[in-house]
Amino acid sequence: MPDWISGVLATPGLGWLFLTVVVGGLVRGFAGFGTALIIMPVASSVLTPAGALTVLVVVDLLGPIPNLPGAYRTCNRTDVMRLGLGTLIALPVGLYGLSHMPEEVFGWLVSVLVLVTLMALMIGWRYHGKLTPPLILGTGATAGVLGGATGLAGPPVIMLYMASTLPGAVVRATLLLYLFVLDSMMIVMLAAFGMLDPAMVLIGLVLLLPFVAANVIGGQLFKFGSERQFRAVAYTIIAGSAILGLPLWH
């Protein structure tokens, strides 16, 4: 057996990572978001902070590609550009924080942030105002800081759009395309900061195929599921992942 295969198979918690990546792919394909919210709590419990972020970025960058053409046609492209600009400005700040963060603090921060995001959505918080350019740009910047520091860039953007009155299909498409833009920035900046661990890239590539397959299946399921179902399934899985990822159990 080649050494690189032996190294991947010897990764602690690889079975949990595989299962989590498949579930994350199903939810990402179905809902347009959720990969980081599901994968990061588990990954942070078995990998280093930089390793967990690297695996996430590798699978999340390439996995949703089959669903991007449809998302591009449906999403609000101007919003995606504004979100991306805010993220680009603030992402280096978050990555600097990650490079100085203890592993236990990272684990707690990831799980607590996921649970707070989920509770805010489940209690029915709604933003009834207009999605103005400054608000969208600021949300992108907040996402950049959180994404660099914890791998969870999604919560500010998810809270803004899931809490809005926009149709579910537009929300899903906008989130899906923005997260692709985010991951493209993330992998470049991880490399620039010297945090792109080749071993973790390899693990991400190994997990990529099941993630892509799960994305395709999730995208097909979206065609047959209602908006209410899409929210309920995503919320339930995200809650389970956050609770399992709490450092209390490790």
Side-chain angles (χ1 to χ4, degrees):
M1 182 181 295
D3 291 342
W4 67 269
I5 295 180
S6 300
V8 170
L9 294 178
T11 302
L14 182 63
W16 282 111
L17 279 175
F18 177 86
L19 179 61
T20 306
V21 162
V22 170
V23 175
L26 286 170
V27 173
R28 177 70 185 276
F30 185 77
F33 73 95
T35 306
L37 292 173
I38 292 168
I39 293 177
M40 284 304 292
V42 175
S44 67
S45 69
V46 297
L47 302 173
T48 65
L53 185 56
T54 299
V55 170
L56 170 71
V57 170
V58 171
V59 298
D60 202 35
L61 174 64
L62 302 175
I65 286 177
N67 296 323
L68 289 180
Y72 183 79
R73 292 190 295 269
T74 306
C75 76
N76 187 320
R77 292 190 284 274
T78 302
D79 281 9
V80 172
M81 291 176 61
R82 288 170 178 155
L83 288 168
L85 178 59
T87 299
L88 180 63
I89 293 170
L91 187 56
V93 177
L95 287 173
Y96 178 81
L98 176 67
S99 67
H100 292 78
M101 191 182 304
E103 290 186 21
E104 187 173 351
V105 173
F106 178 75
W108 277 106
L109 186 59
V110 166
S111 289
V112 170
L113 182 57
V114 170
L115 288 171
V116 169
T117 302
L118 184 60
M119 284 190 289
L121 292 170
M122 291 184 70
I123 63 175
W125 181 79
R126 291 289 181 271
Y127 174 75
H128 296 289
K130 184 178 180 182
L131 298 180
T132 62
L135 176 62
I136 296 170
L137 190 68
T139 301
T142 304
V145 173
L146 290 176
T150 67
L152 296 167
V157 182
I158 291 167
M159 288 179 68
L160 182 66
Y161 281 86
M162 289 285 285
S164 74
T165 56
L166 293 170
V170 175
V171 170
R172 172 183 177 271
T174 301
L175 290 173
L176 199 154
L177 201 62
Y178 163 69
L179 291 172
F180 176 77
V181 171
L182 163 73
D183 289 328
S184 301
M185 296 179 188
M186 189 85 77
I187 200 162
V188 171
M189 291 197 184
L190 279 170
F193 273 72
M195 298 168 65
L196 199 63
D197 185 342
M200 295 299 106
V201 171
L202 192 56
I203 291 172
L205 291 173
V206 169
L207 295 172
L208 180 60
L209 183 58
F211 185 71
V212 171
N215 259 272
V216 173
I217 295 170
Q220 292 302 311
L221 290 174
F222 178 77
K223 298 177 182 178
F224 303 101
S226 69
E227 195 165 327
R228 183 177 179 182
Q229 289 172 325
F230 131 60
R231 292 173 188 262
V233 170
Y235 292 169
T236 301
I237 295 174
I238 290 166
S241 178
I243 293 169
L244 286 173
L246 285 169
L248 283 172
W249 319 120
H250 313 294

